């Protein structure tokens, strides 16, 4: 893929500690030549960052946002409230 290719999927994790749970999905998307913009933003701890991540995804040309979060999983709703892009919730198992 060329560097001019825009991300098609924005994957937002609620915490950096979620990376081991989503790493394989990101790798698979990239193997399928789907660009992925990966960000971390917590709906609870950093709501302003959630808004900034949505704007970044929109400006980058993302066509869908995947919200990967556990526990209460408010991230998908917080992201969806800030955009008209489709938002897919990816619930993560928590300990």
């Amino acid at each position: 893929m060329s560097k001019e290719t825009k991300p098609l999927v924005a994957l937002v994790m609620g915490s950096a500690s979620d990376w081991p749970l989503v790493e394989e999905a990101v790798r698979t998307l990239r193997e399928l030549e789907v660009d992925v913009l990966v960000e971390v933003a917590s709906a609870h701890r950093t709501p302003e960052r959630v808004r900034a991540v949505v704007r970044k995804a929109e400006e980058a040309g993302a066509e869908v946002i995947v919200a990967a979060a556990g526990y209460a999983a408010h991230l998908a709703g917080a992201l969806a409230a800030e955009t008209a892009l489709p938002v897919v919730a990816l619930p993560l198992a928590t300990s």
Side-chain angles (χ1 to χ4, degrees), residues 1-2 4-10 29-30 33-37:
M1 300 200 106
S2 70
E4 291 90 348
T5 303
K6 295 181 179 179
L8 296 176
V9 174
L29 287 168
R30 289 180 175 157
E33 297 186 359
V34 174
D35 282 346
V36 184
L37 171 68

Side-chain angles (χ1 to χ4, degrees), residues 13 15-25 27 92:
M13 299 175 288
S15 170
S17 65
D18 295 330
W19 177 247
L21 299 172
V22 300
E23 181 177 16
E24 186 65 29
R27 186 177 15 261
L92 301 177

Side-chain angles (χ1 to χ4, degrees), residues 11-23 38-43 45-46 49 68-70 75 92:
L11 189 143
V12 184
M13 299 175 288
S15 170
S17 65
D18 295 330
W19 177 247
L21 299 172
V22 300
E23 181 177 16
V38 179
E39 296 285 339
V40 176
S42 167
R45 295 182 305 275
T46 59
R49 173 130 175 82
L75 183 57
L92 301 177

Side-chain angles (χ1 to χ4, degrees), residues 44-68:
H44 300 285
R45 295 182 305 275
T46 59
E48 8 4 267
R49 173 130 175 82
V50 170
R51 286 188 284 281
V53 165
V54 168
R55 298 298 162 256
K56 181 177 180 178
E58 290 173 337
E59 291 170 6
E63 296 178 21
V64 63
I65 298 174
V66 176

Side-chain angles (χ1 to χ4, degrees), residues 50-51 54-55 74-85 87:
V50 170
R51 286 188 284 281
V54 168
R55 298 298 162 256
H74 290 93
L75 183 57
L79 290 164
E82 298 294 331
T83 186
L85 289 173
V87 177

